[in-house]
Amino acid sequence: MSTDMVRSIEPVIPALRRYARALLRDRSAADDLVQDCLERAVSRWHQRRNEDDVRPWIFAILHNLAMTRLRRASQRPVHVPLDDVGGTPLALGAPQEDRLRYRDLLAGLSKLSEDQRTVLLLVTVEELSYADAARVLGVPIGTVMSRLSRARERLFRLMSADPAAESRPTLRSVK
């Protein structure tokens, strides 16, 4: 492995891990995905098109691998032995306001469509340009912009919604 390759790939690894964790919502599966992505990037280093910025190319590899895994996972049920569950997933989160906002954000992200969530994560969290995000996803820039706009709007509505307001009866003034 050349030092040029290492210098190009190494700074991208933390961002790849963040994106993989956001997509898969499982730390060990995300780490496995990043490992597979890095193996593929190293083995196909000669196939990259842009010599200067490898970030979009590596993110495209990770995204494609993640979508393949998610498709396969949706086709078969998940089996978790009861003994492996333990008490951790059943425990309540911390009552601090930041933790609650974080939980609401994750819940809001999970309610977005896969297309909207991936665009939102690539542009806002990973700070890819619209053009780079379009290359990663294989869609036109206009599609990235419209998906991002819809994702931001829907996430804002989900985050600012008062859950009690939906079940509360509305009163009308009768004159």
Side-chain angles (χ1 to χ4, degrees), residues 140-157:
I141 292 177
T143 303
V144 167
M145 293 167 61
S146 65
R147 285 180 186 173
L148 182 61
S149 174
R150 288 186 194 110
R152 285 177 173 159
E153 180 182 328
R154 179 138 190 256
L155 188 60
F156 177 77
R157 278 189 279 126

Side-chain angles (χ1 to χ4, degrees), residues 92-145:
L92 297 175
Q96 288 85 2
E97 189 174 328
D98 288 343
R99 178 71 179 148
L100 293 174
R101 270 197 218 119
Y102 178 71
R103 187 185 67 194
D104 291 344
L105 175 64
L106 290 178
L109 282 172
S110 70
K111 290 179 183 175
L112 296 177
S113 71
E114 194 68 40
D115 292 338
Q116 290 176 351
R117 183 173 43 250
T118 55
V119 167
L120 186 68
L121 291 170
L122 286 173
V123 172
T124 60
V125 176
E126 301 308 332
E127 299 177 350
L128 290 182
S129 68
Y130 291 172
D132 288 344
R135 278 197 299 265
V136 167
L137 300 172
V139 297
I141 292 177
T143 303
V144 167
M145 293 167 61

Side-chain angles (χ1 to χ4, degrees), residues 162-173:
D162 179 12
E166 294 175 16
S167 62
R168 199 178 311 143
T170 57
L171 300 175
R172 286 190 338 199
S173 172

